[in-house]
Amino acid sequence: MSTVTAVPPSFVAISPGAADFKRINRAMMFGGFSTFALLYCVQPLMPMLSHTFALTAAQSSLALSISTGMLAISLLVSSILSERFGRKPMMVASMTAGGILTLLCAFAQSFPQLLILRGLLGFMLGGMPAIAMAYLSEEIDPRSLGLSMGLYISGSAFGGMLGRLLTSIISDFYNWRLALGLMGAAGLYAAWEFWRSLPGSKNFRPGSRGIAGLVNGARSHVLDAGLPWLFALAFLLMGAFVSMYNYIGYRLVAAPFALRPSVVGLLSMLYLLGIFSSVWAGRMADRLGRRNVLWLVMGAMLAGLLITLIDSLPAIVIGMGLFTFGFFASHSVASSWVGRRARAPQALASALYLFFYYLGSSAVGWVAGVAWEHGRWPGVVAMLGVTLGLGLLIALKLRTLAPLEPAAIVAAEA
């Protein structure tokens, strides 16, 4: 069923073919790249951190979990500040600070120092993801929102791939400090490209929402029939995804595979599937409806997880590829659904989605480390199987979600 969102007379929708459409998508590719690259570049370093600092897998995962946890908290603060100071300035400041803090991580003298810097990094990066989703929802023609959101997420996939690949290779042949230093420099370059490419907001209207506005806005989103389920889905999806890439390295560097860290890092090339699947799923969602696409791509993600149980390197690669394809497709569909369904304040709805998204990364990612300690890879797969099973039930429930009333909506909401 198609419906259409009522927009103010001054609304200027940016459609494919327009120069600003290309500039926005270029900038968002850099923004997605920077966020994922800086946030997840420590993943391939986790077995090295375990060895260097005599840490368990769960303890080593704190280098990532503390960043995603602080980012989750920061998202809510950033959504309030962006209502007052604007979308673009907040995103530029966030990306710049992320690059600087990653450079500083290269000079950390102890694991606690590294954790402090990584925590600050996560907090500062919070100014990018939710605001990017709100910016796209405000500026892009609703009929092309799925495509633009997919391009942003494909930039995230590319950043996650390149961040993992570079840090694994450089740390294997040189050291982890040089790897983080180079990632920080890349983050600063991405911030500059983002600043010069992204057009200023045309449809943003500054607000002055404080804590009361946050509470009232959150209440309205939580009372929606669909948004809370999408928030829960974000928690489960990202928790499963980050856990897969957190602990697959521990499996592959051990017997019987005994791979070098740089070889394990090559698995990040599978993120290329995410670059394709996020855009493909966005187009399919715009054409067939989000409710008809989401549960299918989540099913692919679960199938990929189960394939990794096979003690064969080709099977593991195939399983991880299917899992990665399904994750980025699922995230593309779910995140654009939030942007299409949410009423004002939209930035807060995006922030809540990503709050649970990154909270899942921290919480499920850490618990999966405990599962590894007790059951090795079968234990991790069992735990993530339950996680994705719950997510699939939510996706099936969302198929029955009634569209918003025509009085509130006029653009297609699938």
Side-chain angles (χ1 to χ4, degrees):
M1 178 176 181
S2 282
T3 52
V4 188
T5 301
V7 293
S10 59
F11 179 76
V12 181
I14 300 174
S15 303
D20 277 355
F21 187 83
K22 297 176 181 177
R23 291 179 61 200
I24 288 172
N25 288 329
R26 183 177 189 275
M28 288 301 173
M29 287 284 287
F30 275 103
F33 161 83
S34 181
T35 301
F36 253 58
L38 300 186
L39 201 58
Y40 293 103
C41 64
V42 296
Q43 266 189 330
L45 304 180
M46 285 170 51
M48 298 179 193
L49 295 177
S50 291
H51 176 76
T52 301
F53 297 105
L55 305 171
T56 65
Q59 289 170 335
S60 181
S61 73
L62 290 175
L64 177 57
S65 294
I66 194 170
S67 297
T68 53
M70 291 300 293
L71 187 146
I73 296 171
S74 173
L75 288 168
L76 302 180
V77 177
S78 299
S79 69
I80 296 175
L81 294 178
S82 74
E83 294 288 344
R84 183 183 297 263
F85 298 110
R87 310 300 193 208
K88 181 176 179 179
M90 288 290 299
M91 290 187 284
V92 171
S94 171
M95 293 177 65
T96 303
I100 293 171
L101 285 165
T102 303
L103 280 172
L104 293 176
C105 284
F107 299 96
Q109 297 302 304
S110 66
F111 190 62
Q113 286 182 13
L114 182 63
L115 290 182
I116 291 172
L117 289 170
R118 290 285 301 174
L120 289 173
L121 169 71
F123 189 83
M124 294 307 299
L125 283 179
M128 179 65 200
I131 300 174
M133 292 171 66
Y135 176 97
L136 290 173
S137 298
E138 291 166 351
E139 306 297 326
I140 298 295
D141 187 320
R143 292 167 296 184
S144 302
L145 180 60
L147 171 61
S148 289
M149 200 73 77
L151 288 170
Y152 167 67
I153 293 171
S154 72
S156 302
F158 183 73
M161 178 198 75
L162 199 58
R164 285 175 51 86
L165 183 61
L166 289 178
T167 52
S168 63
I169 293 174
I170 296 170
S171 61
D172 192 10
F173 292 99
Y174 295 95
N175 59 71
W176 62 268
R177 296 183 185 278
L178 179 60
L180 292 181
L182 290 175
M183 288 308 304
L188 289 174
Y189 174 73
W192 177 74
E193 286 285 359
F194 182 88
W195 169 78
R196 78 185 189 96
S197 299
L198 189 71
S201 298
K202 293 183 175 65
N203 302 307
F204 169 72
R205 299 295 179 267
S208 57
R209 298 181 180 93
I211 298 300
L214 174 66
V215 173
N216 291 332
R219 183 184 297 116
S220 68
H221 295 321
V222 169
L223 292 177
D224 181 83
L227 289 177
W229 293 109
L230 290 168
F231 298 158
L233 190 60
F235 180 94
L236 298 170
L237 280 173
M238 188 53 173
F241 180 72
V242 78
S243 297
M244 166 70 82
Y245 279 88
N246 272 2
Y247 302 107
I248 194 67
Y250 285 94
R251 184 186 188 193
L252 295 179
V253 298
F257 304 105
L259 301 180
R260 289 181 63 91
S262 55
V263 176
V264 176
L266 292 175
L267 286 173
S268 63
M269 296 291 288
L270 294 172
Y271 273 56
L272 290 171
L273 294 172
I275 295 173
F276 165 76
S277 71
S278 58
V279 178
W280 171 82
R283 290 184 185 275
M284 293 298 293
D286 287 339
R287 180 184 307 170
L288 303 177
R290 290 156 181 80
R291 68 187 72 238
N292 297 320
V293 175
L294 181 58
W295 69 277
L296 290 173
V297 292
M298 284 197 63
M301 191 177 174
L302 180 58
L305 173 70
L306 297 176
I307 291 173
T308 65
L309 282 170
I310 302 173
D311 285 326
S312 160
L313 187 57
I316 291 173
V317 173
I318 291 171
M320 289 188 66
L322 188 57
F323 182 91
T324 302
F325 179 96
F327 167 74
F328 280 102
S330 301
H331 176 40
S332 176
V333 174
S335 60
S336 66
W337 201 339
V338 171
R340 293 290 299 112
R341 186 171 182 89
R343 308 180 191 183
Q346 281 187 314
L348 180 58
S350 299
L352 286 170
Y353 174 86
L354 290 174
F355 171 81
F356 287 101
Y357 179 85
Y358 289 109
L359 189 64
S361 175
S362 293
V364 180
W366 182 82
V367 174
V370 177
W372 168 265
E373 295 297 331
H374 289 85
R376 290 306 191 245
W377 190 247
V380 173
V381 170
M383 184 226 161
L384 297 187
V386 172
T387 301
L388 288 178
L390 292 173
L392 191 55
L393 290 176
I394 291 175
L396 292 173
K397 179 176 179 59
L398 286 169
R399 293 197 72 198
T400 66
L401 178 66
L404 294 179
E405 292 298 324
I409 289 238
V410 259
E413 187 228 344

